[in-house]
Amino acid sequence: MGEPWPPQPQQQQQRLPGLGNASEPPAWPSAAAAGPGTAAPGGGAAAAGSVSPWDIALCATGTAVAGENALVLAVLFYTPSLRAPMFLLIGSLALADLLAGLGLVANFAVRYLLRPPSEAAELAAAGLLLAAFSASVCSLLAITVDRYLSLYNALTYHSERTLGFTCAMVLLMWLLCLGVGLLPLLGWNCLRDQSSCSILRPVTKDNAAVLAVTFLLLFALMMQLYLQICKIAFRHAQQIAVQHQFIATAQATSTRKGLSTLSLILGTFALCWIPFAIYSLVADSSYPAVYTYSLALPATCNSLINPIIYAFRNPDIQKSLWLACCGCIPSTFSSRPRTSSDV
């Protein structure tokens, strides 16, 4: 990426991935702060015209995330049969991840393409990312709760969880997340006090700590719910096996499938987000930006994986995709309805 830049004035601060930055020239980091071999973009004119490869990677990831989740939303919107509460929650997750992808692209454009630099635009891009990723995590939690209730209250689930009730809950969730996204624009930022900046500039260290702790608590709740889902699913599978006199291998196959699904969901979410959440608790803007970039990129990739786990593995969505792409359904396509053992 070229030779490292010479040392910058002491007033300069760490530039961080994912969120907007102040437009004042002292707010941009030196290459030394970003790590060896990493060129640091300058403020406003992107100092010497260099672009960080990490920012390019985040922008490319955002583009892929937006395109993938736009496909999910298009399938849900143009398929009348996909109107159940479960698909509404999948649509909420896809919309949140779509906005997250657009936010990454917008942040790149504001940082490198907007002339002259605009502090309001940078704060707006930061707010969009905060709101989108908050809605993504909350949608994942809502899907987990929905799966748990569909098993725990299997007899009354469809009568209690109506489409109207689910719409109201999703709307309330989005209003809360939009409120979180407005915080940087309402003055909850560190642009006037650089020493209070977190690794998620312009978010302050205190606010970043609150967000990280909240995320860890939500993950703990999701893990507990999925463990309960697994227990209920295994119990249902055993009851069905006894009633229909299934052979032991069939039950073992169902159990292994449930465990693999559970491991995929929790493992992917934890690997993508937990390191970044913990790092945001212990680090601040004085830490090398390369560490923040290397942990933020996997976190954003979670929005790239979500459609695969929650949408494209769903048989109904698969059927709609086949019909939309080639106008037919392959003979090998399995139309077996989902059961409680599928988790």
Side-chain angles (χ1 to χ4, degrees):
M1 296 304 300
E3 296 297 326
W5 288 7
Q8 301 295 315
Q10 291 184 353
Q11 292 182 350
Q12 288 190 323
Q13 299 291 331
Q14 192 81 15
R15 187 172 60 83
L16 305 167
L19 297 180
N21 298 279
S23 57
E24 298 92 336
W28 304 95
S30 62
T38 302
S50 59
V51 179
S52 169
W54 290 103
D55 286 327
I56 295 176
L58 286 172
C59 183
T61 302
T63 303
V65 166
E68 187 180 26
N69 285 279
L71 175 62
V72 175
L73 288 174
V75 170
L76 294 176
F77 182 80
Y78 288 106
T79 308
S81 60
L82 303 181
R83 295 291 184 269
M86 175 182 64
F87 296 111
L88 180 62
L89 296 176
I90 293 176
S92 174
L93 175 62
L95 177 60
D97 288 336
L98 169 64
L99 293 177
L102 294 177
L104 291 171
V105 176
N107 182 74
F108 182 89
V110 168
R111 182 174 296 176
Y112 293 104
L113 304 179
L114 184 63
R115 302 292 180 270
S118 170
E119 181 178 287
E122 292 166 357
L123 290 175
L128 175 59
L129 286 170
L130 279 177
F133 283 117
S134 297
S136 179
V137 174
C138 289
S139 295
L140 290 174
L141 178 61
I143 291 174
T144 306
V145 172
D146 180 73
R147 288 183 171 183
Y148 172 75
L149 293 176
S150 68
L151 292 175
Y152 185 76
N153 296 327
L155 297 178
T156 60
Y157 168 79
H158 293 287
S159 60
E160 293 177 351
R161 298 296 177 267
T162 62
L163 186 61
F165 176 83
T166 306
C167 287
M169 293 297 100
V170 169
L171 178 60
L172 182 62
M173 178 197 74
W174 272 95
L175 289 176
L176 177 63
C177 295
L178 289 175
V180 173
L182 288 175
L183 292 180
L185 287 169
L186 296 178
W188 293 57
N189 59 70
C190 62
L191 297 186
R192 300 295 177 263
D193 182 12
Q194 304 296 331
S195 62
S196 66
C197 284
S198 68
I199 63 169
L200 300 172
R201 189 168 180 268
V203 179
T204 64
K205 288 185 288 188
D206 292 340
N207 292 340
V210 171
L211 291 174
V213 170
T214 302
F215 167 81
L216 293 174
L217 291 175
L218 291 178
F219 174 75
L221 178 58
M222 285 179 59
M223 186 167 59
Q224 178 63 26
L225 286 173
Y226 268 117
L227 289 177
Q228 295 300 319
I229 288 173
C230 206
K231 291 179 181 179
I232 297 173
F234 290 167
R235 186 168 64 247
H236 287 184
Q238 291 175 349
Q239 293 173 351
I240 294 174
V242 171
Q243 292 174 3
H244 295 80
Q245 298 180 353
F246 288 165
I247 58 176
T249 54
Q251 181 180 345
T253 301
S254 177
T255 301
R256 286 196 300 270
K257 183 177 180 180
L259 284 174
S260 63
T261 302
L262 182 66
S263 301
L264 176 65
I265 293 172
L266 291 180
T268 301
F269 189 72
L271 288 175
C272 290
W273 277 107
I274 294 297
F276 184 68
I278 294 177
Y279 182 72
S280 65
L281 279 175
V282 301
D284 56 34
S285 59
S286 65
Y287 282 57
V290 65
Y291 300 154
T292 306
Y293 276 115
S294 61
L295 293 176
L297 186 59
T300 59
C301 286
N302 183 245
S303 295
L304 196 63
I305 301 173
N306 283 337
I308 300 175
I309 296 177
Y310 294 94
F312 298 142
R313 293 175 68 248
N314 184 282
D316 296 313
I317 295 180
Q318 289 179 6
K319 180 180 178 181
S320 298
L321 282 173
W322 277 108
L323 289 174
C325 294
C326 63
C328 63
I329 301 176
S331 58
T332 57
F333 183 81
S334 174
S335 59
R336 180 184 65 86
R338 290 176 61 88
T339 66
S340 59
S341 61
D342 291 336
V343 186

